[in-house]
Amino acid sequence: MITTAPPSPPSPLSPPTRSLLRLRLAPHSALPRRLDGVWWPRSYDLLAELPQLLAALPRAWGHITGVTVNGAAWSAAPGRMLVANQVVRLRKTVAAHAPDTVVLLSPGHGRWDLLVVPPDTTEEAAEPIMTAALSDHA
């Protein structure tokens, strides 16, 4: 006779979910910076990634109403989307000068540029990229 045990319940010590945001923001400075932060999304699915990013931004940045991404890299997306009950306009560009950035716009607060580390980058490769991008010598 063969018996099977019922599936065991999930362990309370299970590893953290993959939903942790991988974002580093530059320290506040009176001097202008080329980059305001570095974002390492888990995919190029803008509809899945953007809400989590916007929710993690500092309140001082205000409400982000516009986002510009590299049209060649990111998956298809509508011209706008609803994030936290606010409309965010999405724009795709193929600007050669900034292929790996996301530009965030907030009326009355400013513009922020985030370097995008490709989602398929290994942790070993992403860490030095994120650190170097925010160094004062970058």
Side-chain angles (χ1 to χ4, degrees), residues 24 34-35 37-40 100 115-118 120-135 138:
R24 288 195 192 157
R34 187 176 73 78
L35 290 170
V38 182
W39 179 37
W40 181 21
D100 298 323
L115 176 70
V116 176
V117 177
D120 59 353
T121 305
T122 65
E123 188 170 350
E124 294 76 24
E127 185 63 34
I129 292 169
M130 294 178 84
T131 301
L134 296 181
S135 75

Side-chain angles (χ1 to χ4, degrees), residues 44 69-76 92-95 99:
Y44 279 119
V69 298
N70 178 346
W74 292 89
S75 63
K92 289 187 171 191
T93 183
V94 288

Side-chain angles (χ1 to χ4, degrees), residues 30-111:
L31 300 174
R33 301 182 68 94
R34 187 176 73 78
L35 290 170
D36 300 294
V38 182
W39 179 37
W40 181 21
R42 299 200 180 275
S43 74
Y44 279 119
D45 180 351
L46 196 56
L47 297 178
E49 300 290 340
L50 192 59
Q52 197 174 18
L53 170 65
L54 297 183
L57 297 176
R59 288 182 184 234
W61 287 20
H63 169 64
I64 303 299
T65 61
V67 176
T68 302
V69 298
N70 178 346
W74 292 89
S75 63
R80 13 184 157 160
M81 67 185 285
L82 198 60
V83 178
N85 293 322
Q86 300 283 338
V87 174
V88 177
R89 295 189 191 288
L90 306 176
R91 183 169 173 248
K92 289 187 171 191
T93 183
V94 288
H97 68 279
D100 298 323
T101 59
V102 169
V103 177
L104 308 171
L105 300 172
S106 175
H109 288 81
R111 166 190 167 145

